[in-house]
Amino acid sequence: MDELVLPPFVIDSINNGLIQENILNVLNQEKFQEENKEVKLFKNHQDYLLSYIKAYMVYVICGYVYDSKSTLESRNTKFDALIPYYFDNYIQLRTREEVVYNEVSIFFDILRKASLTDNDLRAMFLKDRCEYLNLRSFENSERFNELNKYDVLINRTISELGSGVFDISRDLLIRLSKCYILSKEDLSDSEYVCGSSSFLYNIICDAYSIYEASLKSMDDMINDRNSDVEKVQSLRRIIKKNRFYSGDDDA
């Protein structure tokens, strides 16, 4: 992509400056390492890992990020004509370590998905459908109707989260949320349900995630994986173009 070109001062921040410093700080965090076990696999090859992460910083600064977990701007965002489109992303990555933490986490998600084989995807496809069917089976539980008294509370919480967030009927999402509570023994006590709004937020979002995953076809999953493979290939081109690898090593 010819568009993946940034001014020297941005590349310098990624390669030797504050963005690189933020990347290294993130990789050294125990919490990040627990969430991304692959970091330890690259322990003896940190320069190799860094070259890909730096390339990903170029990728996201240029606006090629469409992950819902990202806080950065995509190329579709309209910027003031006097301000380069990439500048806001650059400033965020340079000044906010938590933004780098989030983006590097997304980078590892891409690596994982790009490495999946067709057999891996078939197994995930079956797992997602079984998980959804197992969740729905709790509608036949004797305790399901006992949770009807929480319908108003769950409905209000869904409204607080935003009606546009969920592509599902309100009634089905309420039912799935109650099924989710029943599927987890440690969530079944009514005092937990009434405990806090954030607790219900998590229940609703987790139930919806199971529903959403069940909708993906095998072709959808293959296309998603192939898209991530293409991203990794773009990172290799960025590494070579900006010489993010050291010495004569080729990425």
Side-chain angles (χ1 to χ4, degrees):
M1 298 178 181
D2 294 335
E3 298 90 344
L4 290 168
V5 177
L6 291 170
F9 73 89
V10 177
I11 298 300
D12 184 63
S13 182
I14 294 171
N15 210 20
N16 305 293
L18 290 176
I19 293 180
Q20 175 181 255
E21 183 178 323
N22 285 338
I23 293 169
L24 291 173
N25 288 342
V26 166
L27 292 177
N28 287 325
Q29 287 187 36
E30 185 175 341
K31 178 185 175 185
F32 186 84
Q33 292 179 14
E34 289 174 357
E35 294 173 350
N36 301 276
K37 305 297 184 184
E38 296 88 347
V39 175
K40 293 182 179 179
L41 296 177
F42 285 98
K43 186 175 181 180
N44 297 323
H45 305 280
Q46 182 162 293
D47 287 344
Y48 185 76
L49 174 62
L50 273 175
S51 67
Y52 274 88
I53 295 176
K54 290 176 181 180
Y56 188 68
M57 294 298 106
V58 172
Y59 191 83
V60 296
I61 289 173
C62 287
Y64 288 98
V65 56
Y66 302 99
D67 193 292
S68 60
K69 293 184 289 186
S70 177
T71 60
L72 299 182
E73 303 288 354
S74 74
R75 292 178 65 84
N76 294 332
T77 305
K78 292 183 179 179
F79 287 91
D80 187 311
L82 297 177
I83 302 175
Y85 69 88
Y86 58 81
F87 200 70
D88 185 67
N89 290 341
Y90 160 67
I91 292 298
Q92 285 201 61
L93 292 167
R94 185 173 179 270
T95 59
R96 297 176 59 198
E97 188 176 301
E98 67 271 19
V99 174
V100 174
Y101 188 110
N102 192 47
E103 295 305 322
V104 179
S105 296
I106 294 171
F107 163 76
F108 277 106
D109 285 342
I110 290 171
L111 282 189
R112 291 185 204 104
K113 289 185 286 185
S115 67
L116 295 172
T117 66
D118 285 357
N119 284 337
D120 291 330
L121 294 177
R122 289 188 189 94
M124 291 172 64
F125 176 81
L126 293 173
K127 175 182 173 293
D128 289 342
R129 270 148 187 74
C130 287
E131 190 171 10
Y132 178 68
L133 291 174
N134 286 338
L135 186 64
R136 291 299 301 266
S137 71
F138 283 92
E139 286 184 289
N140 300 319
S141 165
E142 292 181 0
R143 293 200 59 214
F144 183 81
N145 289 331
E146 294 177 15
L147 296 184
N148 289 346
K149 58 188 175 183
Y150 298 117
D151 282 5
V152 173
L153 181 60
I154 295 172
N155 188 48
R156 185 168 67 239
T157 306
I158 292 171
S159 296
E160 290 172 359
L161 284 165
S163 57
V165 172
F166 306 108
D167 187 14
I168 184 177
S169 73
R170 184 71 64 99
D171 178 68
L172 178 55
L173 185 52
I174 291 172
R175 296 179 72 82
L176 290 178
S177 298
K178 291 188 290 187
C179 286
Y180 188 83
I181 292 170
L182 293 174
S183 73
K184 307 290 184 181
E185 289 185 5
D186 58 334
L187 302 185
S188 298
D189 195 314
S190 61
E191 70 178 78
Y192 289 109
V193 177
C194 299
S196 68
S197 58
S198 60
F199 178 81
L200 272 180
Y201 292 161
N202 292 334
I203 287 174
I204 293 165
C205 290
D206 287 348
Y208 181 74
S209 293
I210 294 172
Y211 164 79
E212 192 176 38
S214 74
L215 298 179
K216 278 195 172 184
S217 69
M218 186 65 191
D219 284 343
D220 290 335
M221 297 176 78
I222 289 173
N223 289 336
D224 286 348
R225 187 272 316 276
N226 291 346
S227 175
D228 286 316
V229 170
E230 290 175 6
K231 289 185 181 77
V232 173
Q233 291 170 345
S234 294
L235 298 185
R236 292 194 184 109
R237 293 195 292 272
I238 295 170
I239 289 169
K240 292 178 180 178
K241 185 176 185 64
N242 294 284
R243 299 192 63 80
F244 286 143
Y245 51 87
S246 59
D248 297 324
D249 295 337
D250 199 353

